[in-house]
Amino acid sequence: MSQRQRREATGNTHATGKPGSAVMWRGKRFGLPAPKDYPLDAIEAEEQGRTLTALRLILGEDQYATFCELAKTTGDADDFSKAIMRELGRGNP
């Protein structure tokens, strides 16, 4: 059973109390809302290629500030995005 399946089965939630998941990155835990709870503005930003804006809207201001303390390069942002995609299981039904 994957971690995602285990969370869904047990009803675990992330830090904000909404159903979702979390990713550990560079020793910090980032809570993620369930994809169905992403703000529409975040989806529009992603469609327009404004990836960091989308990330800020999904993470919220406090978590985004933590991300910015840890990430200093585009490579860091790419690494963080890959960690999130692994957690969400994008491309895997």
Side-chain angles (χ1 to χ4, degrees):
M1 180 180 279
S2 72
Q3 288 180 354
R4 179 176 53 84
Q5 290 168 324
R6 200 171 290 115
R7 273 194 313 278
E8 289 172 359
T10 61
N12 286 347
T13 59
H14 68 79
T16 63
K18 294 180 184 175
S21 57
V23 64
M24 288 297 294
W25 190 69
R26 298 192 177 172
K28 299 287 183 180
R29 182 180 184 276
F30 293 87
L32 303 169
K36 68 181 179 97
D37 294 327
Y38 287 1
L40 288 178
D41 289 344
I43 304 306
E44 286 181 351
E46 182 64 32
E47 289 176 348
Q48 295 168 356
R50 297 177 13 229
T51 306
L52 292 177
T53 298
L55 184 60
R56 180 176 49 83
L57 292 167
I58 290 168
L59 291 177
E61 295 299 329
D62 291 342
Q63 290 191 117
Y64 187 75
T66 300
F67 163 75
C68 288
E69 290 172 9
L70 300 171
K72 300 298 180 193
T73 67
T74 55
D76 293 341
D78 186 53
D79 183 49
F80 184 70
S81 293
K82 287 177 183 174
I84 290 174
M85 290 301 113
R86 277 192 305 272
E87 178 61 31
L88 295 177
R90 290 290 171 140
N92 298 322

